[in-house]
Amino acid sequence: MRVQIFILSVVSLWDLAQNFRAEATFNNHEHSANMENLLPSVARPSNRSYTFYGIMFDAGSTGTRIHVYTFIQKDPAELPVLDNEMYHAVKPGLSAYADKPNVGGDTIRQLLKLARKTVPRSEWKKTPVVLKATAGLRLLPAEKAKALLDEVKEVFNESPFLVPNNSVSLMNGKNEGVLAWVTVNFLTGHLYSNTKRTVGILDLGGGSTQITFLPKSKKTITSAPPTYIARMNMFNGTYELYTHSYLGNGLVAARLATLGALGADGLDWKVFTSSCLPKKFREDWTFGGLTYKVSGIPDGYAGYKLCYYEVMRVVKGIVHQPFEVKGSSIFYAFSYYYDRAVESGLIDGNRGGVVEVRDFKKRAKEVCNKMTKYRPISPFLCMDMTYITCLLKEGFGFKDSTVLQLAKKVNNVETSWALGATFDYFRNLNIH
């Protein structure tokens, strides 16, 4: 389904061309020779239909994803439409190559081959390619993260695409939440009207988790820490959003925290145990380039209650509870919220679904009390489902009856910050 792009309505096509021209002036020499050819076809006034493209890489903690968006401008007097998204993901994420940045760079090269197949050759020099890294790299030592990003820059500079200034960067968590909110509310059509009736978003990655919504109550804003409020100029108006990213509270980082392994030393000989794991489970487990020895408790107890107590320490007192989430707002939840709901049988993987917070709790109890049954799916499923339940209830403070729309895609487009970030590239959204 083609979705009309409201974002670009706030800027004339001439302004869009100027934006591309400004970006192009900062490119390296091999990409900046002919300035007129760097303008998107859409910016040239004509009665013909034009197509232009954007390539956005999401370098997450557990995988790297490429999004190639196809936009069509049928008439200079009308709005462009989002025609298509080509999406592909590879595992593990860049952070797994912390000591081998050149190997991490090779994963980007492979994904760029897909981009060359998607974008016509005649459009390569006009199509911007951008990579934003998230919590996986934010959790690495700064020098290792920089080495990986520098390697990606070299790979981009080898490519035939338009490489903007600051094309490779470490994304801050606030923008991650805000741009995911833009994506979902754009795809669901909530940003077309002036009523500001929008949906909140919950994004659960491997290294961090985000919550973003448009408050209805002034008390939500006044009672929140000042850094949790973001203002964004968009669509001839200003949106004042509640948003925060919790680094270290993504699903996989939370496993480490639950096990007491986050930041631990002596990984060669220490065994990290949890009642959230099957009693007879023992395995080496790798995340972020480090390997951990993890185990159930062979002679101890396992199950939902003990597991909930363990994960509570990772959430309680760390996650701020916004004033109005106990209300009736609808939230879209995606990434690991969606994946674990599918794996545990809570929703259908083909269609997504609507659940209440209490449904996560009920299914978490079932998974934890029948760990042997669910172990082939994942030995961590009890821990993950319990963590999600605890994060929603004890962390954010949602009621059992809060409605969550679990979705991987909306209108056949991935629910992530990537589309919002592409809009931000074409037209700075002034997030502050």
Side-chain angles (χ1 to χ4, degrees):
M1 173 180 175
R2 294 186 177 184
V3 186
Q4 197 173 38
I5 300 182
F6 80 92
I7 283 282
L8 296 178
S9 68
V10 301
V11 61
S12 69
L13 294 176
W14 173 247
D15 287 339
L16 181 60
Q18 294 303 308
N19 192 38
F20 266 77
R21 190 187 300 272
E23 292 283 1
T25 60
F26 294 104
N27 294 333
N28 59 41
H29 294 300
E30 71 177 285
H31 289 282
S32 61
N34 188 339
M35 296 308 299
E36 279 302 313
N37 288 337
L38 295 179
L39 296 178
S41 300
V42 67
R44 298 169 188 157
S46 170
N47 292 326
R48 289 189 303 158
S49 174
Y50 288 108
T51 301
F52 63 104
Y53 304 84
I55 304 169
M56 182 64 64
F57 280 86
D58 168 359
S61 58
T62 55
T64 302
R65 304 109 192 170
I66 185 173
H67 305 255
V68 181
Y69 298 108
T70 304
F71 302 109
I72 295 179
Q73 179 70 41
K74 290 188 175 182
D75 188 305
E78 295 179 359
L79 300 180
V81 295
L82 171 59
D83 182 62
N84 186 46
E85 176 198 42
M86 189 286 289
Y87 169 84
H88 191 74
V90 295
K91 293 182 179 182
L94 278 179
S95 57
Y97 305 103
D99 297 317
K100 298 177 181 178
N102 59 318
V103 181
D106 286 338
T107 66
I108 303 300
R109 283 191 183 90
Q110 295 305 312
L111 291 172
L112 280 171
K113 288 181 181 179
L114 297 176
R116 286 200 294 271
K117 291 178 181 178
T118 305
V119 180
R121 182 183 291 268
S122 61
E123 299 297 312
W124 285 355
K125 289 185 178 179
K126 309 169 206 169
T127 300
V129 58
V130 176
L131 178 142
K132 294 184 181 295
T134 58
L137 265 69
R138 290 201 294 267
L139 287 168
L140 287 181
E143 65 278 5
K144 292 192 175 185
K146 183 179 184 300
L148 282 165
L149 296 179
D150 287 345
E151 183 69 27
V152 173
K153 287 177 188 175
E154 289 189 23
V155 173
F156 276 8
N157 287 333
E158 295 168 6
S159 82
F161 298 109
L162 172 64
V163 183
N165 185 50
N166 199 29
S167 60
V168 179
S169 63
L170 196 57
M171 191 180 197
N172 72 55
K174 177 171 286 191
N175 281 9
E176 194 174 341
V178 170
L179 295 174
W181 182 88
V182 170
T183 295
V184 171
N185 281 281
F186 164 69
L187 293 174
T188 54
H190 286 92
L191 292 180
Y192 292 109
S193 67
N194 292 323
T195 61
K196 293 194 175 181
R197 290 181 61 189
T198 59
V199 294
I201 66 101
L202 296 168
D203 188 356
L204 181 59
S208 64
T209 186
Q210 290 79 38
I211 177 173
T212 305
F213 64 94
L214 183 67
K216 298 173 184 174
S217 167
K218 198 69 180 174
K219 187 173 179 181
T220 297
I221 296 172
T222 57
S223 63
T227 56
Y228 287 42
I229 304 301
R231 291 168 183 82
M232 177 176 59
N233 298 324
M234 180 183 65
F235 202 32
N236 295 327
T238 298
Y239 289 81
E240 194 168 40
L241 301 173
Y242 176 100
T243 184
H244 193 66
S245 177
Y246 294 90
L247 184 62
N249 280 88
L251 191 77
V252 185
R255 289 178 183 175
L256 292 174
T258 300
L259 287 159
L262 196 62
D265 53 14
L267 301 186
D268 292 337
W269 53 270
K270 280 185 182 176
V271 179
F272 301 95
T273 63
S274 172
S275 56
C276 300
L277 297 170
K279 287 184 179 183
K280 295 181 180 179
F281 172 73
R282 181 169 178 138
E283 203 171 272
D284 284 355
W285 177 61
T286 300
F287 174 67
L290 297 175
T291 300
Y292 304 84
K293 298 180 187 298
V294 299
S295 169
I297 305 175
D299 301 321
Y301 293 96
Y304 177 77
K305 285 187 177 180
L306 287 171
C307 183
Y308 199 85
Y309 175 77
E310 285 187 21
V311 300
M312 180 91 80
R313 294 173 301 179
V314 184
V315 171
K316 198 70 172 175
I318 296 170
V319 179
H320 178 260
Q321 296 190 353
F323 168 72
E324 69 188 64
V325 298
K326 293 179 172 60
S328 58
S329 299
I330 295 177
F331 277 76
Y332 269 67
F334 43 94
S335 301
Y336 278 120
Y337 288 114
Y338 175 89
D339 295 342
R340 290 301 175 264
V342 170
E343 289 172 7
S344 65
L346 189 57
I347 60 170
D348 185 305
N350 295 320
R351 296 192 302 271
V354 176
V355 302
E356 294 180 346
V357 169
R358 73 174 100 240
D359 297 324
F360 268 110
K361 179 180 178 180
K362 182 179 178 182
R363 188 52 55 97
K365 285 183 175 180
E366 181 182 328
V367 170
C368 289
N369 294 332
K370 296 180 181 177
M371 284 194 207
T372 305
K373 174 184 173 182
Y374 287 94
R375 178 173 174 172
I377 298 172
S378 169
F380 288 97
L381 194 57
C382 164
M383 183 183 287
D384 292 348
M385 290 293 286
T386 303
Y387 176 68
I388 288 172
T389 303
C390 191
L391 179 63
L392 293 171
K393 288 174 61 63
E394 310 293 343
F396 297 127
F398 287 113
K399 294 192 302 184
D400 280 344
S401 58
T402 299
V403 174
L404 301 177
Q405 173 71 54
L406 300 175
K408 181 173 176 59
K409 294 186 176 185
V410 176
N411 290 330
N412 211 33
V413 177
E414 292 285 323
T415 49
S416 81
W417 52 259
L419 180 59
T422 304
F423 289 148
D424 191 28
Y425 170 78
F426 285 135
R427 172 65 169 141
N428 193 299
L429 300 182
N430 296 322
I431 302 167
H432 52 91

